[in-house]
Coordinates of all heavy atoms in Angstrom, one line a residue:
K1 N -28.1 -64.6 249.7 CA -29.5 -64.9 249.6 C -30.3 -64.9 250.9 O -31.4 -65.5 250.9 CB -29.6 -66.3 248.9 CG -29.0 -66.2 247.5 CD -29.3 -67.5 246.7 CE -28.7 -67.4 245.4 NZ -29.2 -68.4 244.5
L2 N -29.7 -64.5 251.9 CA -30.3 -64.4 253.2 C -31.6 -63.5 253.1 O -31.5 -62.3 252.7 CB -29.4 -63.8 254.3 CG -29.9 -63.7 255.7 CD1 -30.2 -65.0 256.3 CD2 -28.8 -62.9 256.5
K3 N -32.8 -64.1 253.5 CA -34.0 -63.4 253.4 C -34.8 -63.4 254.7 O -35.8 -62.6 254.8 CB -34.9 -64.0 252.3 CG -34.3 -63.9 250.9 CD -35.2 -64.4 249.9 CE -34.6 -64.3 248.5 NZ -35.5 -64.9 247.5
H4 N -34.4 -64.2 255.7 CA -35.1 -64.4 256.9 C -34.2 -64.7 258.0 O -33.2 -65.5 257.9 CB -36.1 -65.5 256.7 CG -37.1 -65.7 257.8 ND1 -38.2 -65.0 257.9 CD2 -37.1 -66.5 258.9 CE1 -38.8 -65.3 259.0 NE2 -38.2 -66.2 259.7
V5 N -34.4 -64.1 259.2 CA -33.7 -64.5 260.4 C -34.6 -65.0 261.4 O -35.7 -64.5 261.7 CB -33.1 -63.2 261.0 CG1 -32.4 -63.5 262.3 CG2 -32.1 -62.6 260.1
D6 N -34.3 -66.2 262.0 CA -35.0 -66.8 263.1 C -34.2 -66.8 264.3 O -33.1 -67.3 264.4 CB -35.4 -68.3 262.7 CG -36.5 -68.4 261.8 OD1 -37.5 -67.7 261.7 OD2 -36.4 -69.4 260.9
L7 N -34.7 -66.2 265.4 CA -34.0 -66.2 266.6 C -34.4 -67.4 267.4 O -35.5 -67.8 267.6 CB -34.3 -65.0 267.4 CG -33.9 -63.6 266.9 CD1 -34.4 -62.5 267.8 CD2 -32.4 -63.6 266.7
V8 N -33.4 -68.2 267.9 CA -33.6 -69.3 268.8 C -34.0 -68.8 270.1 O -33.7 -67.7 270.5 CB -32.3 -70.2 268.8 CG1 -32.1 -70.8 267.4 CG2 -31.2 -69.5 269.4
E9 N -34.6 -69.7 270.9 CA -35.0 -69.4 272.2 C -33.7 -69.0 273.1 O -32.7 -69.6 272.8 CB -35.7 -70.5 272.9 CG -37.1 -70.8 272.3 CD -38.1 -69.6 272.4 OE1 -38.1 -69.1 273.5 OE2 -38.7 -69.3 271.4
G10 N -33.8 -68.1 273.8 CA -32.7 -67.7 274.7 C -32.9 -66.5 275.5 O -34.1 -66.1 275.8
E11 N -31.8 -65.8 275.8 CA -31.9 -64.7 276.7 C -32.8 -63.5 276.3 O -33.4 -62.9 277.0 CB -30.5 -64.2 276.9 CG -30.4 -63.1 278.1 CD -29.0 -62.8 278.5 OE1 -28.1 -63.6 278.3 OE2 -28.8 -61.7 279.0
L12 N -32.7 -63.3 274.9 CA -33.5 -62.2 274.4 C -35.0 -62.5 274.5 O -35.7 -61.5 275.0 CB -33.1 -62.0 272.8 CG -34.0 -60.9 272.1 CD1 -33.6 -59.5 272.8 CD2 -33.6 -60.8 270.7
H13 N -35.4 -63.6 274.2 CA -36.8 -64.0 274.4 C -37.2 -63.9 275.9 O -38.3 -63.5 276.3 CB -37.2 -65.4 273.8 CG -37.1 -65.4 272.4 ND1 -38.0 -64.8 271.6 CD2 -36.1 -65.9 271.5 CE1 -37.7 -65.0 270.2 NE2 -36.6 -65.6 270.2
E14 N -36.3 -64.4 276.8 CA -36.6 -64.4 278.3 C -36.6 -63.0 278.8 O -37.6 -62.7 279.5 CB -35.4 -65.2 279.0 CG -35.5 -66.7 278.7 CD -34.3 -67.4 279.2 OE1 -33.5 -66.8 279.9 OE2 -34.1 -68.6 278.8
T15 N -35.8 -62.2 278.4 CA -35.8 -60.7 278.7 C -37.1 -60.1 278.3 O -37.7 -59.4 279.1 CB -34.5 -59.9 278.2 OG1 -33.4 -60.6 278.7 CG2 -34.6 -58.5 278.5
N16 N -37.5 -60.3 277.1 CA -38.7 -59.7 276.6 C -40.0 -60.2 277.3 O -40.8 -59.4 277.7 CB -38.8 -60.0 275.1 CG -39.9 -59.1 274.4 OD1 -40.1 -57.9 274.8 ND2 -40.6 -59.6 273.4
A17 N -40.0 -61.4 277.6 CA -41.1 -62.0 278.3 C -41.2 -61.4 279.8 O -42.2 -61.4 280.3 CB -40.9 -63.6 278.4
A18 N -40.0 -61.1 280.3 CA -40.0 -60.5 281.7 C -40.4 -59.0 281.7 O -40.7 -58.6 282.9 CB -38.7 -60.7 282.3
L19 N -40.6 -58.4 280.6 CA -41.0 -56.9 280.7 C -42.4 -56.8 281.2 O -43.2 -57.6 280.9 CB -40.9 -56.4 279.2 CG -39.5 -56.2 278.6 CD1 -39.5 -55.7 277.3 CD2 -38.6 -55.3 279.6
L20 N -42.6 -55.7 281.9 CA -43.8 -55.5 282.7 C -45.0 -55.2 281.8 O -46.1 -55.8 282.0 CB -43.6 -54.4 283.7 CG -42.8 -54.7 285.0 CD1 -42.7 -53.4 285.8 CD2 -43.4 -55.8 285.8
L21 N -44.8 -54.4 280.8 CA -46.0 -53.9 280.1 C -46.0 -54.6 278.8 O -45.0 -54.8 278.1 CB -45.9 -52.4 279.9 CG -45.9 -51.5 281.1 CD1 -45.7 -50.0 280.8 CD2 -47.1 -51.7 282.0
E22 N -47.3 -54.9 278.4 CA -47.5 -55.6 277.1 C -47.0 -54.7 275.9 O -46.6 -55.3 274.9 CB -49.0 -55.9 277.0 CG -49.3 -57.0 276.0 CD -48.7 -58.4 276.4 OE1 -48.6 -58.7 277.6 OE2 -48.3 -59.1 275.5
G23 N -47.2 -53.4 276.1 CA -46.8 -52.5 275.0 C -45.3 -52.7 274.7 O -44.8 -52.6 273.6
W24 N -44.5 -52.8 275.8 CA -43.0 -52.9 275.7 C -42.7 -54.2 275.0 O -41.9 -54.2 274.0 CB -42.4 -53.0 277.0 CG -42.5 -51.7 277.9 CD1 -43.0 -50.4 277.5 CD2 -42.1 -51.5 279.1 NE1 -42.9 -49.5 278.5 CE2 -42.3 -50.2 279.5 CE3 -41.6 -52.3 280.1 CZ2 -42.0 -49.7 280.8 CZ3 -41.2 -51.9 281.4 CH2 -41.4 -50.5 281.7
K25 N -43.4 -55.3 275.4 CA -43.2 -56.6 274.7 C -43.5 -56.6 273.2 O -42.8 -57.0 272.4 CB -44.0 -57.7 275.4 CG -43.6 -58.0 276.8 CD -44.6 -58.9 277.4 CE -44.3 -59.1 278.9 NZ -45.2 -60.0 279.6
N26 N -44.7 -55.9 272.9 CA -45.0 -55.8 271.5 C -44.0 -55.0 270.7 O -43.7 -55.4 269.6 CB -46.5 -55.3 271.4 CG -47.5 -56.2 272.0 OD1 -47.3 -57.3 272.1 ND2 -48.7 -55.5 272.3
N27 N -43.6 -53.9 271.3 CA -42.6 -53.1 270.6 C -41.4 -53.9 270.3 O -40.8 -53.8 269.2 CB -42.4 -51.8 271.4 CG -41.6 -50.8 270.7 OD1 -40.5 -50.8 270.6 ND2 -42.4 -49.8 270.1
V28 N -40.8 -54.6 271.3 CA -39.6 -55.3 271.1 C -39.8 -56.4 270.0 O -39.0 -56.7 269.1 CB -39.1 -55.8 272.4 CG1 -37.9 -56.9 272.2 CG2 -38.6 -54.8 273.4
N29 N -41.0 -57.1 270.1 CA -41.3 -58.1 269.1 C -41.4 -57.5 267.7 O -40.9 -58.2 266.7 CB -42.6 -58.8 269.4 CG -42.5 -59.8 270.5 OD1 -41.4 -60.5 270.7 ND2 -43.5 -60.0 271.3
E30 N -41.9 -56.4 267.6 CA -42.0 -55.7 266.2 C -40.6 -55.4 265.8 O -40.3 -55.6 264.6 CB -42.8 -54.4 266.4 CG -44.3 -54.7 266.5 CD -45.1 -53.3 266.7 OE1 -44.5 -52.2 266.6 OE2 -46.3 -53.4 267.1
E31 N -39.7 -54.9 266.7 CA -38.3 -54.6 266.3 C -37.6 -55.9 265.9 O -36.8 -55.9 265.0 CB -37.7 -53.9 267.5 CG -36.4 -53.3 267.2 CD -36.6 -52.0 266.3 OE1 -37.6 -51.2 266.6 OE2 -35.8 -51.8 265.4
I32 N -37.8 -57.0 266.6 CA -37.2 -58.2 266.3 C -37.6 -58.7 264.9 O -36.9 -59.2 264.1 CB -37.5 -59.3 267.3 CG1 -36.7 -59.0 268.6 CG2 -37.1 -60.6 266.9 CD1 -37.2 -59.9 269.8
N33 N -38.9 -58.6 264.6 CA -39.5 -59.1 263.3 C -39.1 -58.1 262.2 O -39.3 -58.6 261.0 CB -41.0 -59.3 263.5 CG -41.3 -60.4 264.4 OD1 -40.5 -61.4 264.5 ND2 -42.4 -60.3 265.1
A34 N -38.8 -56.9 262.4 CA -38.5 -55.9 261.4 C -37.5 -56.4 260.4 O -37.5 -56.1 259.2 CB -38.1 -54.6 262.0
I35 N -36.4 -57.1 260.8 CA -35.4 -57.5 259.9 C -35.9 -58.4 258.8 O -35.5 -58.3 257.7 CB -34.2 -58.3 260.7 CG1 -33.0 -58.4 259.9 CG2 -34.7 -59.6 261.2 CD1 -32.4 -57.1 259.4
N36 N -37.0 -59.1 259.1 CA -37.4 -60.0 258.0 C -38.3 -59.3 257.0 O -38.6 -59.8 256.0 CB -38.4 -61.1 258.6 CG -37.5 -62.1 259.5 OD1 -36.4 -62.3 259.1 ND2 -38.0 -62.5 260.6
Q37 N -38.6 -58.0 257.2 CA -39.3 -57.1 256.2 C -38.3 -56.5 255.4 O -38.5 -56.1 254.2 CB -40.1 -56.1 257.0 CG -41.2 -56.7 257.8 CD -42.1 -57.6 257.1 OE1 -42.7 -57.3 256.0 NE2 -42.4 -58.7 257.7
I38 N -37.0 -56.3 256.0 CA -36.0 -55.5 255.3 C -35.1 -56.5 254.4 O -34.8 -56.1 253.3 CB -35.1 -54.9 256.3 CG1 -35.9 -53.9 257.2 CG2 -33.8 -54.2 255.7 CD1 -35.2 -53.3 258.4
L39 N -34.8 -57.6 254.9 CA -33.7 -58.5 254.2 C -34.2 -58.9 252.8 O -33.3 -58.9 251.9 CB -33.5 -59.7 255.0 CG -32.5 -59.5 256.2 CD1 -32.4 -60.8 257.0 CD2 -31.2 -58.9 255.9
P40 N -35.4 -59.3 252.5 CA -35.7 -59.7 251.1 C -35.4 -58.8 250.0 O -35.0 -59.2 249.0 CB -37.2 -60.0 251.2 CG -37.5 -60.3 252.7 CD -36.6 -59.4 253.4
T41 N -35.4 -57.4 250.3 CA -35.2 -56.5 249.3 C -33.9 -55.8 249.4 O -33.6 -54.7 248.7 CB -36.3 -55.4 249.2 OG1 -36.4 -54.8 250.6 CG2 -37.7 -56.1 249.0
T42 N -33.0 -56.2 250.3 CA -31.7 -55.6 250.5 C -30.6 -56.3 249.8 O -30.5 -57.5 249.8 CB -31.4 -55.5 252.0 OG1 -32.5 -54.9 252.7 CG2 -30.1 -54.8 252.4
P43 N -29.8 -55.5 249.0 CA -28.7 -56.2 248.3 C -27.7 -56.8 249.2 O -27.4 -56.3 250.3 CB -28.1 -55.0 247.4 CG -28.5 -53.7 248.1 CD -29.8 -54.0 248.9
A44 N -27.1 -57.8 248.7 CA -26.2 -58.6 249.5 C -24.7 -58.2 249.5 O -24.0 -58.4 250.5 CB -26.2 -60.1 249.1
G45 N -24.3 -57.5 248.5 CA -22.9 -57.1 248.4 C -22.2 -57.9 247.4 O -22.9 -58.5 246.5
D46 N -20.9 -57.8 247.3 CA -20.1 -58.5 246.3 C -18.9 -59.1 246.8 O -18.6 -59.0 248.0 CB -19.8 -57.6 245.1 CG -19.0 -56.4 245.4 OD1 -18.2 -56.5 246.4 OD2 -19.2 -55.3 244.8
D47 N -18.1 -59.7 245.9 CA -16.9 -60.3 246.3 C -15.6 -59.4 246.3 O -14.5 -59.8 246.5 CB -16.5 -61.5 245.4 CG -17.6 -62.6 245.5 OD1 -18.1 -62.7 246.6 OD2 -17.8 -63.3 244.5
F48 N -15.8 -58.1 246.2 CA -14.7 -57.1 246.0 C -14.6 -56.2 247.2 O -14.3 -55.0 247.1 CB -14.9 -56.3 244.7 CG -15.0 -57.1 243.5 CD1 -16.3 -57.4 242.9 CD2 -13.9 -57.8 242.9 CE1 -16.4 -58.2 241.8 CE2 -14.1 -58.6 241.8 CZ -15.2 -58.8 241.2
G49 N -15.0 -56.6 248.4 CA -14.8 -55.9 249.6 C -16.1 -55.1 250.0 O -16.1 -54.5 251.1
D50 N -17.1 -55.1 249.1 CA -18.4 -54.4 249.5 C -19.1 -55.3 250.4 O -19.5 -56.4 250.1 CB -19.2 -54.1 248.3 CG -20.6 -53.5 248.7 OD1 -20.6 -53.0 249.8 OD2 -21.5 -53.6 247.8
V51 N -19.3 -54.9 251.8 CA -19.9 -55.8 252.8 C -21.4 -55.9 252.3 O -21.9 -57.1 252.6 CB -19.7 -55.1 254.1 CG1 -20.6 -55.9 255.2 CG2 -18.4 -54.9 254.6
G52 N -22.0 -55.1 251.7 CA -23.3 -55.2 251.3 C -24.4 -54.7 252.2 O -24.1 -54.5 253.4
G53 N -25.5 -54.4 251.8 CA -26.6 -53.9 252.4 C -27.2 -54.9 253.5 O -27.6 -54.4 254.6
K54 N -27.1 -56.1 253.2 CA -27.6 -57.2 254.3 C -26.8 -57.1 255.6 O -27.4 -57.0 256.6 CB -27.7 -58.5 253.7 CG -28.7 -58.7 252.7 CD -28.9 -60.2 252.2 CE -29.9 -60.4 251.1 NZ -31.2 -60.0 251.2
A55 N -25.5 -57.1 255.4 CA -24.7 -57.0 256.6 C -24.9 -55.7 257.3 O -25.0 -55.7 258.6 CB -23.1 -57.2 256.2
R56 N -25.0 -54.5 256.6 CA -25.2 -53.3 257.3 C -26.6 -53.3 257.9 O -26.8 -52.8 259.1 CB -25.1 -52.2 256.3 CG -23.6 -51.8 256.0 CD -23.5 -50.6 255.1 NE -24.1 -50.6 253.9 CZ -23.6 -51.1 252.8 NH1 -22.3 -51.5 252.8 NH2 -24.3 -51.1 251.6
A57 N -27.6 -53.9 257.2 CA -28.9 -53.8 257.7 C -29.0 -54.7 259.1 O -29.7 -54.3 260.0 CB -29.9 -54.4 256.7
I58 N -28.3 -55.8 259.1 CA -28.4 -56.7 260.2 C -27.6 -56.0 261.4 O -28.1 -56.1 262.6 CB -27.7 -58.1 259.9 CG1 -28.7 -58.8 259.0 CG2 -27.4 -58.9 261.2 CD1 -28.0 -60.1 258.4
R59 N -26.5 -55.4 261.1 CA -25.8 -54.6 262.2 C -26.7 -53.5 262.8 O -26.8 -53.3 264.0 CB -24.5 -53.9 261.7 CG -23.4 -55.0 261.5 CD -22.2 -54.3 261.0 NE -21.2 -55.2 260.6 CZ -20.8 -55.3 259.3 NH1 -21.2 -54.4 258.4 NH2 -20.0 -56.2 258.9
R60 N -27.4 -52.7 261.9 CA -28.3 -51.6 262.4 C -29.4 -52.3 263.2 O -29.9 -51.7 264.3 CB -28.9 -50.8 261.2 CG -28.0 -49.8 260.7 CD -28.6 -48.8 259.7 NE -29.3 -49.6 258.6 CZ -28.9 -49.8 257.5 NH1 -27.6 -49.5 257.2 NH2 -29.5 -50.4 256.6
W61 N -30.0 -53.4 262.7 CA -31.1 -54.1 263.4 C -30.7 -54.6 264.8 O -31.4 -54.4 265.8 CB -31.5 -55.2 262.5 CG -32.5 -56.2 263.1 CD1 -33.8 -55.9 263.5 CD2 -32.3 -57.5 263.6 NE1 -34.4 -57.0 264.1 CE2 -33.5 -58.0 264.1 CE3 -31.1 -58.4 263.6 CZ2 -33.6 -59.3 264.6 CZ3 -31.2 -59.6 264.0 CH2 -32.5 -60.1 264.6
I62 N -29.5 -55.2 264.8 CA -29.0 -55.6 266.2 C -28.9 -54.5 267.1 O -29.3 -54.6 268.3 CB -27.7 -56.4 266.1 CG1 -27.9 -57.7 265.3 CG2 -27.0 -56.6 267.4 CD1 -26.7 -58.5 264.9
R63 N -28.3 -53.4 266.7 CA -28.2 -52.2 267.6 C -29.5 -51.7 268.0 O -29.6 -51.3 269.1 CB -27.4 -51.1 266.9 CG -25.9 -51.4 266.8 CD -25.1 -50.2 266.4 NE -25.4 -49.7 265.1 CZ -24.8 -50.1 264.0 NH1 -23.8 -51.0 264.0 NH2 -25.2 -49.6 262.7
S64 N -30.4 -51.7 267.0 CA -31.8 -51.2 267.3 C -32.5 -52.0 268.4 O -33.1 -51.5 269.3 CB -32.6 -51.1 266.1 OG -33.9 -50.6 266.3
V65 N -32.4 -53.4 268.2 CA -33.0 -54.3 269.2 C -32.4 -54.1 270.6 O -33.1 -54.0 271.6 CB -32.9 -55.8 268.8 CG1 -33.3 -56.7 269.8 CG2 -33.8 -55.9 267.5
L66 N -31.0 -54.1 270.6 CA -30.3 -53.8 271.8 C -30.8 -52.5 272.5 O -31.0 -52.5 273.8 CB -28.8 -53.9 271.7 CG -28.3 -55.3 271.4 CD1 -26.9 -55.3 271.1 CD2 -28.6 -56.3 272.5
R67 N -30.8 -51.5 271.8 CA -31.2 -50.2 272.4 C -32.6 -50.3 273.0 O -32.9 -49.8 274.1 CB -31.3 -49.1 271.3 CG -29.9 -48.4 271.1 CD -30.1 -47.1 270.4 NE -30.6 -47.3 269.0 CZ -30.0 -47.6 267.9 NH1 -28.8 -47.8 267.9 NH2 -30.7 -47.8 266.7
K68 N -33.6 -50.9 272.3 CA -35.0 -51.2 272.8 C -34.9 -51.9 274.2 O -35.5 -51.5 275.1 CB -35.9 -51.8 271.9 CG -36.2 -51.1 270.7 CD -37.3 -50.1 271.0 CE -37.7 -49.4 269.7 NZ -38.6 -48.3 269.9
I69 N -34.2 -53.0 274.2 CA -34.0 -53.9 275.3 C -33.5 -53.0 276.5 O -34.0 -53.1 277.6 CB -33.2 -55.1 275.1 CG1 -34.0 -56.1 274.2 CG2 -32.9 -55.9 276.4 CD1 -35.2 -56.7 274.7
I70 N -32.4 -52.3 276.3 CA -31.7 -51.5 277.3 C -32.6 -50.5 277.8 O -32.8 -50.2 279.0 CB -30.3 -50.9 276.7 CG1 -29.4 -52.1 276.6 CG2 -29.9 -49.8 277.8 CD1 -28.2 -51.6 275.8
Q71 N -33.4 -49.8 277.0 CA -34.3 -48.8 277.3 C -35.4 -49.3 278.2 O -35.7 -48.8 279.2 CB -35.0 -48.2 276.1 CG -36.0 -47.2 276.4 CD -36.8 -46.7 275.1 OE1 -36.4 -47.1 274.0 NE2 -38.0 -46.1 275.3
Y72 N -36.0 -50.5 277.8 CA -37.2 -51.0 278.5 C -36.7 -51.7 279.8 O -37.4 -51.6 280.8 CB -37.9 -52.0 277.7 CG -38.7 -51.3 276.6 CD1 -38.8 -51.8 275.4 CD2 -39.4 -50.1 276.9 CE1 -39.6 -51.2 274.4 CE2 -40.2 -49.5 275.9 CZ -40.3 -50.0 274.6 OH -41.0 -49.4 273.7
K73 N -35.5 -52.2 279.8 CA -35.0 -52.8 281.1 C -34.8 -51.6 282.2 O -35.1 -51.9 283.3 CB -33.7 -53.5 280.9 CG -33.9 -54.9 280.3 CD -32.6 -55.6 280.0 CE -31.9 -56.1 281.2 NZ -30.7 -56.9 281.0
A74 N -34.3 -50.5 281.7 CA -34.1 -49.4 282.5 C -35.4 -48.9 283.1 O -35.6 -48.6 284.3 CB -33.4 -48.2 281.9
Q75 N -36.4 -48.8 282.2 CA -37.8 -48.4 282.7 C -38.4 -49.4 283.6 O -39.1 -49.1 284.6 CB -38.6 -48.1 281.4 CG -38.3 -46.9 280.7 CD -39.1 -46.7 279.4 OE1 -40.1 -47.5 279.2 NE2 -38.8 -45.8 278.6
H76 N -38.2 -50.7 283.3 CA -38.7 -51.8 284.2 C -38.1 -51.7 285.6 O -38.8 -51.7 286.5 CB -38.3 -53.1 283.5 CG -38.6 -54.3 284.2 ND1 -39.8 -55.0 284.0 CD2 -38.0 -55.0 285.2 CE1 -39.8 -56.1 284.7 NE2 -38.8 -56.1 285.5
Q77 N -36.8 -51.4 285.6 CA -36.1 -51.2 286.9 C -36.7 -50.0 287.7 O -36.9 -50.2 288.9 CB -34.6 -51.1 286.8 CG -33.8 -51.0 288.0 CD -33.9 -52.3 288.8 OE1 -33.9 -53.4 288.3 NE2 -33.9 -52.2 290.1
H78 N -36.9 -49.0 287.0 CA -37.5 -47.8 287.6 C -38.9 -48.0 288.1 O -39.1 -47.7 289.3 CB -37.6 -46.6 286.6 CG -38.1 -45.4 287.2 ND1 -37.4 -44.6 288.1 CD2 -39.3 -44.7 287.0 CE1 -38.1 -43.6 288.4 NE2 -39.3 -43.6 287.8
V79 N -39.7 -48.8 287.4 CA -41.1 -49.2 287.9 C -40.9 -50.0 289.1 O -41.7 -49.8 290.2 CB -41.9 -49.8 286.8 CG1 -43.1 -50.4 287.3 CG2 -42.2 -48.8 285.8
L80 N -40.0 -51.0 289.2 CA -39.9 -51.9 290.3 C -39.4 -51.1 291.5 O -39.9 -51.3 292.6 CB -38.9 -53.0 290.0 CG -39.3 -54.0 289.0 CD1 -38.2 -55.1 288.7 CD2 -40.6 -54.7 289.4
E81 N -38.5 -50.2 291.3 CA -38.0 -49.4 292.5 C -39.1 -48.4 293.0 O -39.3 -48.3 294.3 CB -36.8 -48.5 292.0 CG -35.5 -49.2 291.8 CD -34.4 -48.5 291.1 OE1 -34.7 -47.2 290.8 OE2 -33.4 -49.1 290.9
E82 N -40.0 -47.9 292.1 CA -41.1 -47.1 292.7 C -42.1 -48.0 293.4 O -42.6 -47.6 294.5 CB -41.8 -46.4 291.4 CG -41.0 -45.2 290.9 CD -41.9 -44.6 289.8 OE1 -42.9 -45.2 289.3 OE2 -41.5 -43.5 289.3
A83 N -42.4 -49.2 292.9 CA -43.3 -50.1 293.6 C -42.7 -50.5 295.0 O -43.4 -50.5 295.9 CB -43.5 -51.3 292.7
A84 N -41.4 -50.8 295.0 CA -40.7 -51.1 296.3 C -40.9 -50.0 297.3 O -41.2 -50.2 298.4 CB -39.4 -51.5 296.1
A85 N -40.6 -48.7 296.8 CA -40.7 -47.6 297.7 C -42.1 -47.4 298.2 O -42.3 -47.1 299.4 CB -40.2 -46.3 297.0
T86 N -43.1 -47.6 297.4 CA -44.6 -47.5 297.7 C -44.8 -48.5 298.7 O -45.5 -48.2 299.8 CB -45.4 -47.6 296.5 OG1 -45.1 -46.6 295.6 CG2 -46.9 -47.5 296.9
L87 N -44.5 -49.7 298.6 CA -44.6 -50.8 299.6 C -44.0 -50.5 300.9 O -44.6 -50.8 301.9 CB -44.1 -52.2 299.0 CG -45.1 -52.8 298.1 CD1 -44.4 -54.1 297.5 CD2 -46.4 -53.2 298.7
Q88 N -42.9 -50.0 300.8 CA -42.1 -49.7 302.1 C -42.9 -48.6 302.9 O -42.9 -48.7 304.1 CB -40.7 -49.2 301.7 CG -39.7 -49.2 302.8 CD -38.3 -49.0 302.4 OE1 -38.1 -48.2 301.4 NE2 -37.3 -49.6 303.0
V89 N -43.4 -47.7 302.2 CA -44.2 -46.6 302.9 C -45.5 -47.2 303.5 O -45.9 -46.8 304.5 CB -44.4 -45.4 302.0 CG1 -45.3 -44.4 302.5 CG2 -43.1 -44.6 301.7
A90 N -46.1 -48.0 302.7 CA -47.4 -48.4 303.0 C -47.5 -49.5 304.1 O -48.4 -49.7 304.9 CB -48.1 -49.0 301.8
L91 N -46.4 -50.3 304.2 CA -46.4 -51.5 305.1 C -46.0 -50.9 306.5 O -45.1 -50.1 306.6 CB -45.4 -52.5 304.7 CG -45.8 -53.3 303.4 CD1 -44.7 -54.2 303.0 CD2 -47.1 -54.0 303.6
P92 N -46.6 -51.5 307.5 CA -46.2 -51.0 308.9 C -44.8 -51.6 309.2 O -44.4 -52.6 308.8 CB -47.3 -51.6 309.8 CG -47.9 -52.7 309.0 CD -47.7 -52.4 307.6
Q93 N -44.1 -50.7 310.0 CA -42.8 -51.1 310.4 C -42.7 -52.1 311.5 O -43.0 -52.2 312.5 CB -41.9 -49.9 310.8 CG -41.8 -48.9 309.6 CD -40.9 -49.5 308.5 OE1 -40.0 -50.3 308.8 NE2 -41.2 -49.2 307.2

């Protein structure tokens, strides 16, 4: 009967808040909230070994959120490295 997932405050929220671009933050938030659109209409499974759609949907959702976070963290690092290089060139030695 699982229909809704609430994430407690923690590392995921802190990581998302630290992302540089608002678009990245919004995209990750949309990905986090997507599970609550999927779960209400996804079958739960049965007692005969069928894991059910909810478990599969949650696994896919977790992988999707993690992929987004990893992608944006890499882009974030790249932007920071470019900014550091620009500062290094611009500042007098």
Side-chain angles (χ1 to χ4, degrees):
K1 295 189 179 195
L2 180 63
K3 295 181 181 179
H4 186 83
V5 173
D6 286 320
L7 293 178
V8 295
E9 292 299 316
E11 190 172 334
L12 180 61
H13 290 289
E14 292 167 9
T15 299
N16 194 32
L19 293 176
L20 288 175
L21 300 179
E22 201 63 35
W24 295 352
K25 293 176 189 180
N26 293 340
N27 193 277
V28 171
N29 282 330
E30 287 172 10
E31 196 70 40
I32 290 169
N33 293 328
I35 192 65
N36 294 323
Q37 303 302 315
I38 297 167
L39 284 179
T41 58
T42 304
D46 59 32
D47 294 332
F48 303 104
D50 178 22
V51 176
K54 287 191 192 292
R56 285 190 297 273
I58 290 170
R59 285 186 194 112
R60 280 191 307 269
W61 170 71
I62 290 169
R63 284 192 299 268
S64 179
V65 170
L66 288 175
R67 272 193 305 273
K68 290 279 183 190
I69 291 290
I70 291 166
Q71 172 191 352
Y72 289 138
K73 282 177 73 174
Q75 290 178 5
H76 178 94
Q77 184 64 34
H78 181 71
V79 168
L80 291 177
E81 288 169 1
E82 284 182 349
T86 300
L87 279 174
Q88 197 170 30
V89 169
L91 292 174
Q93 294 294 329

